[in-house]
Amino acid sequence: MKQHEAVIKVMEQNGGFATLGFLNQEVLKMPDAEWKTKTPFASIRRIVQDKRFFFKIRPGLWALLSHKNKLPLEILPTKAVPKQEQEIFNHSYYQGLLVEIGKLKQYETFVPGQDKNKRFLGKTLGEISSPIDFYQFGYEHVVRKAKTIDVCWFNIRKMPSILFEVEHSTDIQNSLLKFVELQDFNTRFFIVADKVRKKEYSGKLELSAFVPIKTRVQFMDYDKLSDWHTKTFEVASVESSLTF
């Protein structure tokens, strides 16, 4: 089996689409596929850019041309899908990437209760996030605010370690206000958004209300998140073959 055929086979088995991270984890497991190269992940990245067989849907998400008209709406929305619903699909996609990264890094991952039924690559966010109740790590009003944050990573001590707000179209300032409520915890914060919103983010962060968290908040664009997701899966794939 040729390398590109192995990638196609994995995508077919996954419904005709896959993240680059998923491909990095699964393609090398395919029997009869030869990967003599020392850089198989780079080869997979090159293969999915072959427009004869594949096309890009979103940062980090690829699909087979042969399945373009068969993909679920949350994977490839048609023009008939209302814009608001398309934005929900985009928002939950990036939430899902963050949940998957957190799980691979051994964090407990949480999404807001109202988001648990939203779709992510054929599953719900509730199915891929931690199946336990949100940790009561502090005062009730603080925990209540934390529960509204798009993705929360909790460490082994059941404390909030890294928090993410995905700002696809909503007001960045509201997310920063949520982070301010958690300023007394040893927590890092990320705003995840399209790179065109970086200037808006920087302007909001200059407001005096956000001085307490200014050095602890970072901006991450979608491409960087996608790269992080891919690299995390690469490391996990390598580590799975090692004994510690």
Side-chain angles (χ1 to χ4, degrees):
M1 182 184 295
K2 295 180 180 179
Q3 293 178 357
H4 80 277
E5 292 174 337
V7 175
I8 290 173
K9 188 69 173 178
V10 169
M11 275 202 184
E12 287 177 339
Q13 293 175 349
N14 196 53
F17 61 90
T19 62
L20 192 53
F22 180 83
L23 292 173
N24 286 341
Q25 192 174 58
E26 299 299 322
V27 168
L28 300 184
K29 299 177 184 177
M30 291 296 294
D32 304 323
E34 294 187 10
W35 295 88
K36 296 179 181 179
T37 175
K38 294 182 179 179
T39 56
F41 301 130
S43 295
I44 294 171
R45 192 179 305 114
R46 173 183 52 78
I47 288 169
V48 296
Q49 295 179 56
D50 188 334
K51 295 182 179 180
R52 294 176 300 168
F53 307 108
F54 310 97
F55 69 99
K56 184 178 181 179
I57 300 176
R58 300 184 185 95
L61 182 61
W62 298 81
L64 292 169
L65 274 175
S66 59
H67 285 61
K68 192 169 186 177
N69 296 323
K70 308 174 187 176
L71 297 173
L73 289 179
E74 73 264 19
I75 303 299
L76 185 64
T78 65
K79 293 182 179 179
V81 176
K83 183 179 179 181
Q84 184 177 2
E85 196 168 339
Q86 291 184 34
E87 289 182 352
I88 291 174
F89 292 152
N90 285 326
H91 190 274
S92 61
Y93 170 68
Y94 295 114
Q95 281 179 285
L97 294 186
L98 289 165
V99 169
E100 289 195 332
I101 295 169
K103 288 174 65 177
L104 287 174
K105 290 182 173 292
Q106 306 303 311
Y107 288 100
E108 295 286 0
T109 57
F110 296 90
V111 298
Q114 67 268 24
D115 290 350
K116 288 186 176 181
N117 288 325
K118 291 180 180 177
R119 306 294 296 176
F120 171 71
L121 305 184
K123 298 180 180 179
T124 66
L125 291 175
E127 288 177 305
I128 66 169
S129 55
S130 296
I132 53 181
D133 292 335
F134 198 90
Y135 292 130
Q136 301 297 310
F137 61 88
Y139 290 115
E140 184 178 347
H141 72 279
V142 177
V143 174
R144 187 164 58 246
K145 182 66 69 175
K147 285 182 176 181
T148 69
I149 291 173
D150 286 326
V151 179
C152 297
W153 291 2
F154 278 76
N155 61 27
I156 196 171
R157 293 174 58 81
K158 299 180 175 57
M159 298 298 288
S161 183
I162 311 177
L163 307 180
F164 304 87
E165 276 281 275
V166 179
E167 290 300 337
H168 197 66
S169 59
T170 46
D171 191 347
I172 289 175
Q173 184 166 318
N174 290 337
S175 294
L176 294 174
L177 288 170
K178 292 181 184 181
F179 293 160
V180 168
E181 291 293 319
L182 290 125
Q183 63 181 282
D184 298 311
F185 295 87
N186 185 24
T187 305
R188 288 179 289 162
F189 310 105
F190 283 87
I191 296 292
V192 180
D194 192 292
K195 63 182 66 175
V196 300
R197 302 194 72 185
K198 177 70 179 290
K199 185 176 180 180
E200 176 190 353
Y201 156 83
S202 298
K204 299 286 188 182
L205 199 58
E206 289 299 320
L207 297 175
S208 59
F210 305 125
V211 169
I213 62 169
K214 185 176 180 180
T215 60
R216 297 161 58 191
V217 185
Q218 296 184 59
F219 182 90
M220 183 189 305
D221 64 51
Y222 295 145
D223 289 324
K224 187 173 291 186
L225 170 57
S226 167
D227 289 343
W228 189 21
H229 182 267
T230 300
K231 293 297 183 183
T232 303
F233 270 80
E234 287 181 13
V235 171
S237 180
V238 172
E239 289 182 345
S240 67
S241 64
L242 303 175
T243 302
F244 293 94

